[in-house]
Amino acid sequence: MTATLTPAQRTAVSKIAGLTIANAMVFQEVLSAHEQRVYPLRQMLQATDPITELSTHWQFILDEIDYVPIFRVARDLLLELPANQDIEDAIRFMGDRALDIVRLRAALRHDLVGRVYHKLLAHAKFLGTYYTSVPAATLLLKVALSSQIEERNWADIENLGALRIADLACGTGTLLMAAAEAVTDNYVRAVSAQDIRPDLRELHQLLIEKVIHGYDVLPSALHLTASTLALRASDMTFQLTNLFSLPLGGPGHWLGSIEFLKDRKIPITRDMFGAPTIAGQVTAKGDISYHIAPLPDLDLCVMNPPFTRSVGGNLLFGSLPESERRPMQKELARLLRTKQVLASSTAGLGSVFVAVGDRAVKEGGRMALVLPKALLSGVAWGKTRELFRQSYQVEHLIVSHDPARWNFSENTDLSEVLVVARKVGEEAAQHHRGRVVCVNLWRNPGTAFEALSMAQSLTRGEPPDVERGQGALDVSVGGTKVGEALSVPWSAICDGLWMPPCAFGQSELVRAAHHLVQGHLYLPGGGIVGTLPLCPLQDIGSLGPDRRDIHDGFSLATGETAFPAFWGHDAPLCTTLAQRPNRYLSPLSQAKPGRHLRRVQDLWPKAGRIVLAERLRLNTQRLVAVRIDRPVLSNVWWPFTPMTAAEAAEKALVLWLNSTLGLLVLLAHREETQGAWVDFKKPVLGAMPVLDVHALSSEQLDTLARTFDSLSGQEILPFPFMADDAVRQEIDQTVARVFGLPDFAVLRWLLSREPVVCLRSLP
């Protein structure tokens, strides 16, 4: 039965088909320079009927020379084209562009076609597939395979042939390409140091036929991976690749690479449409079939896995029909439960893919990953952090503070992190030895050259310790500083959040936050200059219900009711420390479809006069906490109820949270979604250090409360203007006076310069 495609799907298919034909044209032109039997592309384009000429010649290449993965599908597509002048003109136009690409020889050494492929994909959000930029892939793999950290004889080509590198969601092969380049660079450097002539042909043969393994559910993407790898040495042929096309969906509810949770050798007997078949492996002579798709023990698992999550409509496997998605989601849930997998589908398929990869990485091997930055502090990512805590030493965390690009993938603007971690085994992991290099980039690499320069800075330098060291390791490109790196003991973050050492672009702020959560005030150039009485927020009160519970129990009322609310976070209106309810709620009489009915008597007692931001856009908003004149519930604020109902304690806490020190701690605990758009999750806030109002003297409480009263009606400026905000200055001066601290205005100035706050680049 032929599937009915939507107009958008038909357009996407047409674009990918055109790209496949163009890719074959590029490959033909490259081959013609080394293989006399292959005609130059221009000769085809000048023919009266270029479509017939191309299809005939591509059949000759298929019969006599191979390269089936590149030319078979392209030729089949040509034969489907109607005979008219517009189509012939389009083919000639594509051919001219293919010649332009070949003239730019450097483009052939990177995943250019893959980049175009992902730009054309119309359904990336459902597949959750994001193309890793070439510079990011270069930086990640150069760090992960650095000869300084990888104990291997890089000059021994036979030894290198035993390497096993895999990407379980390889797409068009960008990360695998970068891995091949990094291995080659290490090999060339090693043999040159020993005055040995490199054998690049043999190395390339080993890389394609033995070392590199790729798995994906999109056959078209895998064919492009094969051509990309082949173009690294277009003058040689290869017998096979370890590139496997895995089925997704269908009557077997197949889960692609996630099937490796069941067995490292996936038996596949039917394709996704139910027809008898088996797993496909891309070879020089086409797709051959195997009863298994094997996953070997890995020295390196490199991935930019799918990011789709099970929340917000549940987009898990969203590219498939609803009738297939539900059984697949149930099968995934069953696997996670029965296999006791340290992963959460709430975090997304990325969390699951990390767990799948972990099972193949051998002790001493590494993971090199592109993941959402939420990994560093997200509650849903807690199981993934626990997986690393149990068996790994995280070696590098690389984040971008570039306001133009928080991401390392091309077709998303979500904040991301590059992770390199070495598997040390459960026994060694218990000791939590080693250090994590935390790299805070001021400028995201825009070219492979910049990425290589950054990697060189990191592998040759020694980042200072965040607690006992001073300064930072400068990350440079051509003499220009583009970031800073610090190191932190793995033991300092492995049991909690990974966010604090990656929270700020400026290392002095990272140090200040590091010391502050321990109750110490650190100032640049002064070191630790004072102490503060801090405790977890949950020790002095409790946070109220989240927005889902509110929507399950109430609806917005049109007039005043007995249930006041503080609704929304309107930056132009929410400008003062003291606020009044702005909406009212009505209890639901019955549950909404598919939802639970929350009882009012369970929800309303959790209303509070203090509300803390549940989400913020840092570049426009002004306050992280306010005090309401009566208890309220909210949709984007967390109601907070102190253990004691003393007004002075409530006012002191709100004043602290809006001080520079309170804001510094809060931002170090954020879950960053997209640069300045951040969340604060209930469990993280509960454990976050805040001013211990129970430990203060009555005089200290009264002073803080009086300052709150005097400032409560005065407008506070948006966060980017905090350095010149007179109200914030008075808040900070009061905090300093009450606790006998020196002036810490320098921290307010540094915080105002942070890209996540002001959306301006660091100089």
Side-chain angles (χ1 to χ4, degrees), residues 553-631:
F554 294 95
S555 63
L556 280 175
T558 56
E560 292 189 13
T561 70
F563 307 102
F566 194 62
W567 211 253
H569 196 153
D570 193 337
L573 297 179
C574 186
T575 63
T576 58
L577 295 170
Q579 293 286 320
R580 296 174 59 83
N582 57 11
R583 296 297 297 269
Y584 290 84
L585 302 174
S586 293
L588 293 175
S589 59
Q590 58 184 3
K592 298 176 181 177
R595 306 295 292 271
H596 299 288
L597 180 62
R598 306 291 182 186
R599 296 190 308 169
V600 174
Q601 55 265 42
D602 294 329
L603 294 174
W604 185 248
K606 298 177 181 179
R609 285 196 297 265
I610 296 175
V611 292
L612 284 70
E614 185 263 349
R615 55 178 59 186
L616 281 174
R617 188 167 291 282
L618 294 171
N619 61 308
T620 61
Q621 290 167 333
R622 311 160 186 247
L623 293 157
V624 298
V626 296
R627 185 174 183 272
I628 317 296
D629 63 359
R630 71 193 89 163

Side-chain angles (χ1 to χ4, degrees), residues 272 295 703 709:
M272 60 191 302
L295 177 61
T703 301
D709 289 337

Side-chain angles (χ1 to χ4, degrees), residues 216-479:
D216 207 280
V217 298
L218 297 174
S220 58
L222 280 169
H223 282 228
L224 292 174
T225 300
S227 66
T228 300
L229 290 170
L231 281 171
R232 296 185 72 251
S234 57
D235 58 339
M236 61 177 291
T237 59
F238 54 91
Q239 296 305 308
L240 58 86
T241 72
N242 294 290
L243 302 176
F244 295 92
S245 174
L246 303 178
L248 182 70
H253 313 314
W254 292 294
L255 305 176
S257 293
I258 298 174
E259 294 287 331
F260 285 122
L261 287 175
K262 302 175 183 176
D263 197 309
R264 293 275 295 280
K265 296 179 179 180
I266 300 177
I268 303 177
T269 57
R270 290 182 176 273
D271 69 14
M272 60 191 302
F273 301 107
T277 186
I278 36 196
Q281 180 181 19
V282 179
T283 74
K285 291 186 177 296
D287 291 352
I288 62 174
S289 294
Y290 286 93
H291 291 287
I292 58 170
L295 177 61
D297 291 337
L298 301 179
D299 297 279
L300 177 65
C301 178
V302 56
M303 284 190 292
N304 185 344
F307 287 1
T308 46
R309 303 192 299 155
S310 63
V311 297
N314 198 347
L315 289 178
L316 290 180
F317 314 115
S319 61
L320 298 175
E322 180 74 14
S323 59
E324 292 189 44
R325 287 172 56 203
R326 291 301 179 188
M328 292 170 66
Q329 291 165 1
K330 290 181 179 179
E331 173 64 8
L332 175 61
R334 185 194 68 81
L335 271 180
L336 297 183
R337 182 180 64 257
T338 59
K339 299 295 183 179
Q340 298 181 324
V341 180
L342 277 173
S344 168
S345 61
T346 303
L349 288 180
S351 175
V352 180
F353 270 75
V354 172
V356 176
D358 162 63
R359 300 195 172 201
V361 175
K362 60 188 181 184
E363 193 166 309
R366 285 181 170 80
M367 279 199 177
L369 306 167
V370 185
L371 293 172
K373 198 173 180 180
L375 166 73
L376 304 182
S377 58
V379 173
W381 285 93
K383 288 185 177 181
T384 301
R385 292 195 298 274
E386 176 63 16
L387 182 152
F388 282 105
R389 188 193 71 81
Q390 288 187 5
S391 302
Y392 287 81
Q393 155 69 48
V394 172
E395 295 176 324
H396 285 83
L397 295 172
I398 305 174
V399 299
S400 171
H401 297 269
D402 184 342
R405 284 180 300 156
W406 308 103
N407 49 294
F408 295 107
S409 301
E410 289 286 2
N411 54 343
T412 180
D413 52 7
L414 301 176
S415 297
E416 294 176 307
V417 58
L418 305 181
V419 182
V420 178
R422 182 172 181 266
K423 194 169 191 177
V424 297
E426 291 187 12
E427 184 176 349
Q430 299 308 310
H431 300 291
H432 304 311
R433 297 190 179 97
R435 306 190 67 78
V436 186
V437 175
C438 300
V439 185
N440 294 296
L441 297 177
W442 297 1
R443 191 176 83 208
N444 209 326
T447 66
F449 170 78
E450 290 183 352
L452 290 170
S453 297
M454 292 177 181
Q456 188 175 63
S457 296
L458 294 172
T459 55
R460 291 187 176 181
E462 188 68 32
D465 178 68
V466 68
E467 184 163 336
R468 294 182 297 276
Q470 66 176 28
L473 172 67
D474 287 351
V475 181
S476 302
V477 172

Side-chain angles (χ1 to χ4, degrees), residues 17 22-23 33 52 83 190 245 335 356 416 419 424 495 516 541 592 645 650 669 690 692 700 758:
N23 182 60
T52 299
S245 174
L335 271 180
V356 176
E416 294 176 307
V419 182
V424 297
D495 290 325
L516 190 54
K592 298 176 181 177
E650 291 182 353
H669 288 74
V690 298
D692 185 357
Q700 289 174 316
C758 66

Side-chain angles (χ1 to χ4, degrees), residues 722-754:
M722 68 175 72
D724 301 315
D725 190 338
V727 177
R728 292 187 194 277
Q729 180 181 358
E730 188 166 346
I731 292 174
D732 288 349
Q733 288 174 345
T734 300
V735 170
R737 186 170 64 255
V738 166
F739 298 106
L741 304 173
D743 182 19
F744 50 83
V746 63
L747 298 181
R748 190 169 68 252
W749 175 73
L750 288 172
L751 196 54
S752 72
R753 300 170 73 239
E754 275 296 313

